[in-house]
Amino acid sequence: MSNKIVLCTGANQGLGFAIIQLSALRYSDDTYILCSRDLSAGQKAVKKLRDVGVTAKIDLVQLEVTNDEQIGAAVEHVSTTYGKLDVLINNAGILRRTPEQDENLTNIRNTYNQILSVNLTSVAVICAAFAPLLYKSRDPKVINVSSGLGSIQNALTKKMGRSVPYGTSKVGLNGLTAHLQVLENDRVQAEEGSPESGLAAHMRGAGNGRGQVDAEKSSSRSGKPKIRYFACQPGVLKTAFSNYFPQGKDPVDGAEVVVRLLGDDEGKYEGGSYWEFVDGEMKVVPW
């Protein structure tokens, strides 16, 4: 499906910038809405994209994800300018150190409140705000940028960097992704008048492969398409976010998982799933 409208939060640097760079070079007919808290930083990012050969349309929008007025203004801009949104990428996030056990209780509370507000609550708000525009798309997708620390199974069984507040926020983000998909699946089934449970529908679709694709791209009787919600983990990257961790991946390599999901017009990837791109292929991450 060509001429998609793609919006990415926190896109003036790091992973967000790499997502737009890689996507725009690969799918140059699409339009990319680059969201940045600071307009001057966003303008520099747009120039840098042009310098690396991006010719796709780039639309700069100021967006602080915790600012509801700016979220509303962004929705109004997309509605007036494009009339739809095909892909919403929730990339903006913050990292906070793990508070010491003997730290002031107010400081501990503030640390969790700040990180959950940006990494979880704001994603829920933005998903709700843009839902009407996503329903104007033929095949809407929401891609939530999570982390390996969002996998409870991997956190318990693998050695990895530890950050309790950050990891907690990403576990929450994964839960939000799954529950938004369940809510969407239930909406479609209810509007179709189907008594079939979500699990039964999933098993029926998984039985023949094609059925799953049809189910993912089906519309309900209301005419609304089914939104596919994804979580993904790009890996540890060498960006300002990680203080340029020496062993981190190039952010363009980390962006590959997002771009693969963004470009899936065939319904290859099931909504309500959690992905990474490693060893040259897409792989499911355990919840």
Side-chain angles (χ1 to χ4, degrees):
M1 184 174 60
S2 60
N3 301 318
K4 288 194 284 287
I5 308 300
V6 179
L7 183 147
C8 183
T9 65
N12 61 284
Q13 64 178 347
L15 178 62
F17 179 89
I19 289 169
I20 291 189
Q21 176 185 335
L22 186 60
S23 301
L25 290 173
R26 190 171 297 176
Y27 306 112
S28 59
D29 290 337
D30 295 342
T31 295
Y32 299 90
I33 303 171
L34 187 158
C35 295
S36 174
R37 289 186 301 167
D38 183 274
L39 281 179
S40 62
Q43 289 164 353
K44 292 176 182 177
V46 172
K47 182 181 183 303
K48 187 176 177 181
L49 287 167
R50 298 304 181 204
D51 290 343
V52 298
V54 169
T55 60
K57 181 177 179 180
I58 307 295
D59 187 358
L60 174 61
V61 170
Q62 185 173 24
L63 180 60
E64 161 58 64
V65 298
T66 61
N67 186 317
D68 291 341
E69 289 186 2
Q70 289 189 10
I71 293 171
V75 171
E76 179 62 26
H77 172 74
V78 176
S79 178
T80 301
T81 308
Y82 307 106
K84 67 167 184 172
L85 182 63
D86 296 290
V87 184
L88 169 61
I89 303 168
N90 288 301
N91 167 71
I94 60 172
L95 180 64
R96 292 286 183 268
R97 68 176 182 83
T98 299
E100 301 294 336
Q101 289 185 343
D102 60 352
E103 193 166 348
N104 179 281
L105 297 183
T106 299
N107 291 341
I108 296 174
R109 182 179 298 279
N110 288 341
T111 296
Y112 279 89
N113 284 346
Q114 289 170 6
I115 199 165
L116 290 171
S117 176
V118 175
N119 294 3
L120 178 57
T121 304
S122 292
V123 174
V125 172
I126 288 171
C127 285
F130 280 101
L133 286 169
L134 287 163
Y135 285 131
K136 301 292 185 180
S137 171
R138 289 176 54 199
D139 181 23
K141 307 179 190 76
V142 174
I143 304 171
N144 294 328
V145 177
S146 184
S147 162
L149 291 176
S151 167
I152 294 177
Q153 179 174 323
N154 284 347
L156 289 171
T157 59
K158 293 185 177 183
K159 291 292 184 182
M160 58 178 73
R162 307 295 184 188
S163 174
V164 178
Y166 179 75
T168 299
S169 74
K170 293 303 183 178
V171 170
L173 179 62
N174 287 354
L176 175 67
T177 305
H179 283 283
L180 286 174
Q181 189 66 65
V182 169
L183 185 66
E184 184 70 354
N185 294 347
D186 288 348
R187 175 191 66 80
V188 172
Q189 290 164 19
E191 291 177 359
E192 290 176 343
S194 171
E196 191 173 36
S197 71
L199 177 60
H202 170 76
M203 296 304 293
R204 174 176 54 78
N208 58 20
R210 182 68 243 175
Q212 183 60 47
V213 173
D214 292 341
E216 289 296 335
K217 301 191 75 171
S218 66
S219 295
S220 65
R221 288 179 180 175
S222 68
K224 292 181 180 178
K226 181 191 287 188
I227 299 173
R228 284 187 284 163
Y229 292 89
F230 301 103
C232 65
Q233 74 101 353
V236 180
L237 308 178
K238 189 181 293 186
T239 64
F241 186 85
S242 66
N243 200 25
Y244 297 100
F245 182 64
Q247 286 73 46
K249 298 192 297 185
D250 186 299
V252 172
D253 294 331
E256 184 66 40
V257 62
V258 178
V259 178
R260 294 282 177 123
L261 294 169
L262 178 156
D264 177 34
D265 296 336
E266 294 76 34
K268 180 178 180 180
Y269 304 116
E270 179 185 356
S273 52
Y274 182 20
W275 295 91
E276 63 182 346
F277 185 83
V278 292
D279 301 325
E281 62 179 327
M282 293 285 283
K283 295 184 179 180
V284 172
V285 182
W287 294 109

